Amino acid sequence: MKNKIITLSVALAVLTFTGCKTKSNMVDAPVSSENKQAVPFEGKELSGEFDATIDKIVDQMTVEEKSGVLHGTSMFNTAGVERLGIPELKMADGPLGVREEISRDNWSSAGWDNDFATYYPAGGALAATWNTEMAYTFGNSLGQELRARDKDMLLSPAINIVRTPLGGRTYEYMSEDPFLNKKIAVPLIVGLQDNDVMACVKHFAANNQETNRDFVDVQIDERTLREIYLPAFEASIKEAKAYSVMGAYNKLRGEYLCENDYMLNKILRDEWGFKGIVVSDWNAVHSTVKTLKNGLDIEMGTNAPFDKFWLGQPLIDSAKAGKISMEEIDKHVKRILHVLFQVKAMGGKDRAKGSIATEAHYQDAYKIASESVVLLKNDNNALPLKLDGVKSVAVIGNNATKKNALGGFGAGVKTKREITPLEGLKNRLPSSIKINYAEGYLERYEEKNKGNLGNITSNGPVTIDQLDPAKLQEAIEAAKNSDVAIIFAGSNRDYETEASDRRNLKLPFGQEELIQKVLAVNPRTIVVMVAGAPFDIDDVSKKTSTLVWTWFNGSEGGNVLADVLLGKINPSGKLPWTMPKNLMDSPAHATNSFPGGKSVTYAEGILVGYRWFDTKNITPLYPFGYGLSYTTFAFENAKTDKKSYTADETITVSVDIKNTGKVDGKEVVQLYMSKSDSKITRAAQELKGFQKVLVTAGNSKTVTIQVPAKELAYYNVKAKKWTVEPGNYTLKLGNSSRDIQKEVIVTIK
């Protein structure tokens, strides 16, 4: 959303680290479905029990009252009709937590002292857990906070595909893969809506860049649209039963997406059976009669006086002039009232009360973050840190103290708790160990090329990458005079931001030089990247023996990171996107089809993310699904329940996972599908199943993954339907897209 910002429930024990690398001091959040197929998450259908009541209410409404229900009459609310018992529909931003209260008619803070909220890990971090239970926890915890703030709709989750590593909203979006996207999105939405609130799933659809997002016309072939960019949205409607969807800014095939009949009527409602409401992104509406007829229900925005919105006075005038029928207007009003009844904002039923910024919710944030941290490199088992003989630790880097709950251009959260990495280490290291902190690099931008936040034709801010000599020297001295050094580098939410894409993948602020100079004086240096999107860390990866990736990771992020470094948590996060060696290896850039101008053609087609790298035999720096552990795992006895299946059956795949190391840990079993003799163009492999499992040291667990044969289908453009091609399929089991351990061949009849 084009918003201006002002510049999680199981508690885990916090133990003092003893320095011993044994399984007794590994703390892990449990996986509820370790040894069996998880129960599918299913949302609640919109009820039709209120139809007669709604008809009576709408019959009594004036055209002016109907118009008020159909557009924003304050920054985040639509109008109510007090005499008929219709409340305002109250919305809140919330990808990282429920946004602070702002004024009704401008972006300034409302100045409340009771709107502090929990800061939850960003979407990329949630996807990196590869754990559907964590997604439900995220949604449910956040839904409780939304209700405590007396809101009806959360403008989240954002589930657009990560098409380019440069994307300004990659930190908020979840993955480059449609299957992982939908498997995380569905339980999140179900958990959220279990609290009598609406999820608003965004941005529908093909909204994959910030550059020119207000007007860029996306040209995309039908098979690519269906196989890559729509599956998570379809699952959100059909499985999670999402109550609302947000239309995107951009155009698709010449039509703005908030007035796109093909997308909003033919696909969303006619094909998928969506009965909820479509809300515009802020200032994304361009017409009155067309936008309503083509499927939008609520217009939101901020640029004009509220009554001047397209669905304000212009709608009233259009109705009185006979340009639009009252029957058409009533259809949209009734949809809105249906959802208000569904979430018990109307109808007099007891509604969830919720709670906010509670210790239980901070521990929800901890639990999610604890499964998101990705161990990229750990030569010589330098991690977890062994503290025997360690008297001092150098903590280096601006990111050790940078807070990310607020920042950039977009929705943040006002919170009373955001544990930074430095604070986390202070909380967790024994008091006998001295911490030598040095800022190392300064976060600085060129004023004239700051990247005009909100000017979406910009390509991000230009950073000042020269190190300050005094800061550099301070960092070198701290590293020299400490037994261990930890550098916190990467990004922040001022640099990765909505409304602009990054200019390149280079580490900003001179960080690469800082890392090299610290490594030169203290070989016992750990490099930690804090970021939401890929960076060019090829040289850093070659030079350092230990590399950890963490995210904009919520209120407890610093404590989680310290617990990972010290071994209280065995890292189990996996990358939800591909980390390229070079930007030009990525498909949107290799095909020279980003960012386009007035129009952008998705020239890579279905080969998005790892599909491109695997099909074109391009080696990434770190592949999709990659992440190490402090233990090791072996895959054994892979098999299916049968050898052949019909297209209507479900394939049951099982594999034994043995923990061959000395500490308990979690592994993500990933199942990819490949069909080498296909009569159609396919990617080399596609993710079709995954499950996270906790295995204690020395023991084995059998993991079972069920794959409906229909998941193997491709979209048949000629027949306009999903088609399962008969023949042999190879099911590949591994712990990343580039580390396949076992294969099983099945036949679809």
Side-chain angles (χ1 to χ4, degrees):
M1 286 178 45
K2 195 187 285 184
N3 298 341
K4 190 174 181 182
I5 199 74
I6 301 166
T7 311
L8 249 113
S9 67
V10 174
L12 298 179
V14 176
L15 308 173
T16 303
F17 184 74
T18 60
C20 304
K21 186 184 172 189
T22 65
K23 66 179 181 181
S24 62
N25 57 28
M26 303 298 264
V27 174
D28 252 316
V31 178
S32 65
S33 51
E34 297 157 4
N35 199 19
K36 59 184 184 295
Q37 185 66 16
V39 177
F41 294 90
E42 195 69 31
K44 301 185 190 88
E45 288 276 10
L46 272 168
S47 171
E49 65 179 290
F50 305 107
D51 289 3
T53 304
I54 289 169
D55 288 345
K56 287 178 185 175
I57 292 171
V58 173
D59 285 345
Q60 299 175 68
M61 294 175 72
T62 66
V63 67
E64 288 80 8
E65 288 169 337
K66 292 171 184 177
S67 164
V69 169
L70 297 177
H71 77 277
T73 53
S74 67
M75 299 294 280
F76 280 95
N77 296 7
T78 61
V81 184
E82 190 174 352
R83 69 182 184 88
L84 297 175
I86 302 173
E88 290 186 320
L89 196 165
K90 302 180 287 292
M91 309 173 188
D93 266 331
L96 303 174
V98 185
R99 184 179 184 158
E100 71 175 310
E101 201 69 23
I102 64 166
S103 301
R104 287 184 67 87
D105 59 357
N106 64 69
W107 289 113
S108 64
S109 170
W112 290 12
D113 60 6
N114 63 346
D115 58 344
F116 290 95
T118 305
Y119 164 33
Y120 293 91
L126 179 62
T129 70
W130 287 64
N131 188 337
T132 57
E133 297 284 342
M134 289 298 101
Y136 181 87
T137 295
F138 182 102
N140 194 254
S141 193
L142 186 47
Q144 292 171 31
E145 301 226 338
L146 193 71
R147 276 306 306 132
R149 285 276 301 281
D150 193 32
K151 303 298 182 185
D152 305 304
M153 178 188 290
L154 186 77
L155 303 169
S156 186
I159 59 172
N160 295 105
I161 290 289
V162 175
R163 180 176 178 250
T164 165
L166 297 180
R169 298 185 84 160
T170 296
Y171 77 90
E172 181 185 353
Y173 295 162
M174 294 183 183
S175 176
E176 67 188 22
D177 180 75
F179 186 87
L180 179 59
N181 246 18
K182 74 179 183 181
K183 290 300 179 184
I184 298 296
V186 166
L188 189 163
I189 294 162
V190 173
L192 188 72
Q193 295 189 165
D194 276 352
N195 292 282
D196 299 332
V197 294
M198 315 168 201
C200 188
V201 185
K202 61 189 188 184
H203 312 82
F204 190 67
N207 180 211
N208 310 100
Q209 62 187 61
E210 297 301 282
T211 306
N212 302 333
R213 70 175 182 181
D214 270 347
F215 57 81
V216 70
D217 187 3
V218 175
Q219 301 299 317
I220 183 170
D221 70 89
E222 190 69 10
R223 185 177 166 207
T224 298
L225 178 69
R226 299 282 186 155
E227 291 190 16
I228 303 296
Y229 297 96
L230 293 188
F233 286 102
E234 184 173 5
S236 296
I237 303 310
K238 291 184 174 179
E239 297 172 37
K241 310 293 193 296
Y243 298 151
S244 66
V245 168
M246 182 183 289
Y249 282 118
N250 52 295
K251 294 178 182 177
L252 178 70
R253 301 171 184 161
E255 295 283 355
Y256 281 109
L257 278 158
C258 284
E259 55 181 42
N260 193 304
D261 178 63
Y262 182 62
M263 295 296 290
L264 300 184
N265 286 332
K266 292 184 172 62
I267 291 182
L268 187 62
R269 295 197 185 274
D270 298 345
E271 283 189 36
W272 297 351
F274 180 60
K275 294 181 174 64
I277 53 179
V278 177
V279 182
S280 79
D281 208 335
W282 267 229
N283 305 318
V285 175
H286 298 269
S287 64
T288 298
V289 175
K290 183 179 179 180
T291 202
L292 275 181
K293 284 188 173 178
N294 286 0
L296 190 83
D297 299 302
I298 295 178
E299 176 191 7
M300 297 301 293
T302 57
N303 281 358
F306 297 114
D307 64 342
K308 297 289 193 284
F309 280 16
W310 293 99
L311 299 186
Q313 190 61 44
L315 175 60
I316 297 167
D317 295 342
S318 296
K320 290 179 177 176
K323 294 178 182 177
I324 187 167
S325 69
M326 197 55 62
E327 181 184 26
E328 179 69 45
I329 293 171
D330 288 354
K331 179 171 71 177
H332 300 278
V333 174
K334 287 176 181 181
R335 286 174 184 166
I336 294 161
L337 297 189
H338 267 291
V339 183
L340 285 169
F341 271 103
Q342 180 74 26
V343 299
K344 303 174 186 172
M346 295 178 70
K349 292 187 177 181
D350 286 342
R351 192 178 189 189
K353 296 287 188 285
S355 57
I356 193 164
T358 63
E359 192 57 40
H361 290 178
Y362 289 134
Q363 292 309 316
D364 286 342
Y366 179 99
K367 189 164 76 164
I368 295 161
S370 74
E371 294 204 21
S372 74
V373 177
V374 184
L375 181 61
L376 294 177
K377 191 176 181 183
N378 193 25
D379 292 355
N380 307 316
N381 293 320
L383 289 177
L385 269 174
K386 300 156 192 71
L387 298 184
D388 295 342
V390 172
K391 295 178 181 176
S392 56
V393 175
V395 175
I396 296 168
N398 177 281
N399 262 358
T401 59
K402 178 76 176 180
K403 292 181 183 278
N404 288 299
L406 292 168
F409 184 91
V413 59
K414 185 170 83 174
T415 186
K416 287 184 177 178
R417 184 184 299 184
E418 181 179 354
I419 307 296
T420 65
L422 178 58
E423 289 168 342
L425 286 166
K426 285 180 177 178
N427 291 340
R428 298 304 200 246
L429 283 169
S431 57
S432 59
I433 292 180
K434 184 185 179 190
I435 296 176
N436 298 314
Y437 172 66
E439 188 176 16
Y441 66 89
L442 296 172
E443 181 191 354
R444 297 182 294 179
Y445 305 90
E446 287 185 12
E447 283 300 319
K448 64 180 180 185
N449 290 311
K450 203 166 183 179
N452 179 13
L453 298 179
N455 172 8
I456 50 181
T457 58
S458 75
N459 280 315
V462 176
T463 58
I464 295 174
D465 295 331
Q466 289 74 41
L467 292 170
D468 176 91
K471 293 286 182 185
L472 173 61
Q473 193 56 40
E474 184 185 15
I476 289 171
E477 291 302 318
K480 265 186 190 175
N481 296 316
S482 302
D483 298 313
V484 178
I486 309 173
I487 300 179
F488 293 93
S491 183
N492 58 59
R493 284 198 56 246
D494 291 312
Y495 186 57
E496 283 183 64
T497 173
E498 177 183 351
S500 66
D501 297 313
R502 287 182 290 151
R503 295 170 184 267
N504 53 51
L505 290 185
K506 184 182 174 188
L507 280 173
F509 316 123
Q511 293 177 34
E512 197 158 326
E513 182 187 352
L514 173 67
I515 292 167
Q516 289 176 8
K517 293 202 165 159
V518 170
L519 282 167
V521 299
N522 192 335
R524 199 176 173 188
T525 295
I526 296 155
V527 179
V528 179
M529 292 290 167
V530 182
F535 276 86
D536 179 0
I537 54 171
D538 194 8
D539 282 347
V540 170
S541 182
K542 285 173 184 169
K543 290 183 170 69
T544 184
S545 62
T546 315
L547 187 59
V548 176
W549 187 279
T550 190
W551 313 84
F552 308 140
N553 225 354
S555 284
E556 285 283 328
N559 284 334
V560 165
L561 195 51
D563 287 344
V564 167
L565 297 176
L566 297 175
K568 293 173 192 169
I569 294 171
N570 188 350
S572 63
K574 304 278 185 178
L575 290 178
W577 32 249
T578 303
M579 183 100 67
K581 285 186 176 179
N582 303 293
L583 177 62
M584 294 308 292
D585 289 342
S586 293
H589 301 269
T591 57
N592 196 29
S593 55
F594 170 86
K598 290 183 178 178
S599 175
V600 59
T601 299
Y602 287 15
E604 72 280 6
I606 60 169
L607 299 183
V608 176
Y610 69 90
R611 287 165 163 80
W612 173 271
F613 285 82
D614 294 349
T615 306
K616 302 290 186 182
N617 292 315
I618 299 165
T619 303
L621 180 57
Y622 293 108
F624 174 77
Y626 176 87
L628 301 175
S629 169
Y630 293 153
T631 190
T632 50
F633 299 95
F635 286 55
E636 300 169 344
N637 304 321
K639 58 189 177 185
T640 53
D641 58 329
K642 298 196 298 183
K643 293 298 179 190
S644 65
Y645 304 83
T646 66
D648 296 323
E649 290 185 294
T650 295
I651 305 162
T652 300
V653 187
S654 63
V655 62
D656 296 337
I657 306 300
K658 184 174 184 181
N659 184 331
T660 54
K662 295 179 180 178
V663 294
D664 302 346
K666 291 177 185 171
E667 181 60 293
V668 178
V669 180
Q670 301 167 36
L671 187 155
Y672 296 84
M673 173 276 289
S674 182
K675 192 171 193 332
S676 57
D677 59 347
S678 180
K679 293 181 172 57
I680 57 158
T681 302
R682 287 185 185 261
Q685 58 181 9
E686 301 172 17
L687 182 71
K688 295 299 175 187
F690 63 88
Q691 194 166 329
K692 197 167 202 173
V693 60
L694 171 63
V695 190
T696 54
N699 291 312
S700 293
K701 284 263 179 79
T702 300
V703 171
T704 301
I705 298 175
Q706 293 188 326
V707 183
K710 65 182 182 182
E711 282 285 1
L712 309 181
Y714 71 96
Y715 188 77
N716 187 326
V717 177
K718 203 169 185 179
K720 295 186 177 180
K721 66 176 185 179
W722 290 91
T723 301
V724 180
E725 189 180 14
N728 293 335
Y729 290 79
T730 303
L731 304 180
K732 303 176 175 183
L733 294 154
N735 55 19
S736 83
S737 57
R738 287 295 175 106
D739 191 1
I740 302 302
Q741 303 279 326
K742 297 290 176 185
E743 296 186 356
V744 186
I745 295 174
V746 297
T747 303
I748 304 296
K749 291 182 271 193

